[in-house]
Amino acid sequence: MPLTARPLGDRPGTRLQGSCDFDTRPLLSAALGVVTRTPGPVVHIDLSGVAFLDADAVGALVRANATVTGQGRRLVLHHPPYSLRKVVEMFPDECAALEVAA
């Protein structure tokens, strides 16, 4: 399933939809580049439309989070798919900085 990224209408951030895997890495990288440049103290990524994130995609989220927090801001993930939760369980130390909304 192709990956799409659309701006959120109600807050700063992006809604991703599709799969984040080897085939969609360039688009995910571009979308996260936009996210890290989005102004505001808190930037949001809505993952409700994401069917799958591979480990490299989770790593890209961790790097984007490091960029945003390095700017003194927060990156908040919403509606993580099962695959993200599984990668976080497998690599808790590496993923500890990810903030997931309740």
Side-chain angles (χ1 to χ4, degrees), residues 57-95:
V58 176
L61 289 173
V62 169
R63 290 187 296 278
N65 182 68
T67 299
V68 170
T69 57
Q71 299 165 346
R73 304 179 310 132
R74 291 173 44 222
L75 179 66
V76 180
L77 307 177
H78 299 270
H79 311 291
Y82 177 77
S83 55
L84 174 61
R85 294 190 304 267
K86 289 308 290 180
V87 172
V88 169
E89 285 177 16
M90 292 182 339
F91 302 100
D93 294 337
E94 293 83 351
C95 298

Side-chain angles (χ1 to χ4, degrees), residues 22-48:
F22 179 80
D23 294 329
T24 61
R25 281 188 190 143
L27 183 55
L28 177 62
S29 179
L32 293 177
V34 170
V35 166
T36 61
R37 294 187 306 274
T38 299
V42 181
V43 183
H44 304 269
I45 300 179
D46 181 346
L47 299 169
S48 61

